[in-house]
Amino acid sequence: MSVSTSNAYGKFSISDLAIAKVASQAAVESYGIVDTVSHRFTDALAELLKRDAGGKGVKITTSGNRIFIDVYVLIKYGVSIEAVAEALKESVKYKVEHFTGMIVDTVNVNIVGLKP
């Protein structure tokens, strides 16, 4: 799927994979996040085979021009989970909205584990 919009210059669409890559990069750059984690077996397999698993750890669902994001992450041991999750939500939401010009409706943070 993809999200589509139009403006004075014409119509354009952005693929879910492109949005997932932006969200994944925003997650990795957030304080307290160690890495994103594959949420599907096929993603984990692609990672093992060293193929580009762009958007690893991010699931994008679109409806019209609204975007719903699920992020799967490992966080650093000893940080406040609530603070890190809130900062991650805000960062992903801001960067995806800035990139796409569309509305991010929901960002769900799924903490898979902790790393020292």
Side-chain angles (χ1 to χ4, degrees):
M1 296 269 315
S2 63
V3 290
S4 299
T5 190
S6 59
N7 60 20
Y9 301 109
K11 183 178 178 183
F12 61 95
S13 63
I14 303 169
S15 73
D16 288 353
L17 181 59
I19 296 169
K21 284 184 179 185
V22 171
S24 181
Q25 186 64 33
V28 171
E29 291 173 355
S30 294
Y31 173 78
I33 302 298
V34 176
D35 199 6
T36 55
V37 180
S38 300
H39 64 283
R40 294 184 307 195
F41 175 72
T42 54
D43 292 342
L45 186 59
E47 189 178 328
L48 285 174
L49 297 174
K50 302 292 185 211
R51 289 186 21 198
D52 180 26
K56 176 182 86 166
V58 177
K59 178 183 171 195
I60 303 292
T61 308
T62 56
S63 175
N65 67 343
R66 297 223 179 246
I67 303 169
F68 303 90
I69 303 172
D70 289 303
V71 182
Y72 299 83
V73 295
L74 292 174
I75 66 168
K76 185 174 182 167
Y77 179 79
V79 298
S80 168
I81 293 174
E82 182 180 4
V84 169
E86 281 302 314
L88 176 60
K89 284 181 185 183
E90 291 176 17
S91 176
V92 169
K93 181 175 173 36
Y94 172 78
K95 289 183 180 178
V96 170
E97 284 180 346
H98 184 69
F99 173 72
T100 63
M102 315 261 176
I103 298 167
V104 173
D105 195 84
T106 307
V107 176
N108 297 315
V109 177
N110 302 286
I111 299 169
V112 178
L114 303 171
K115 281 247 179 159

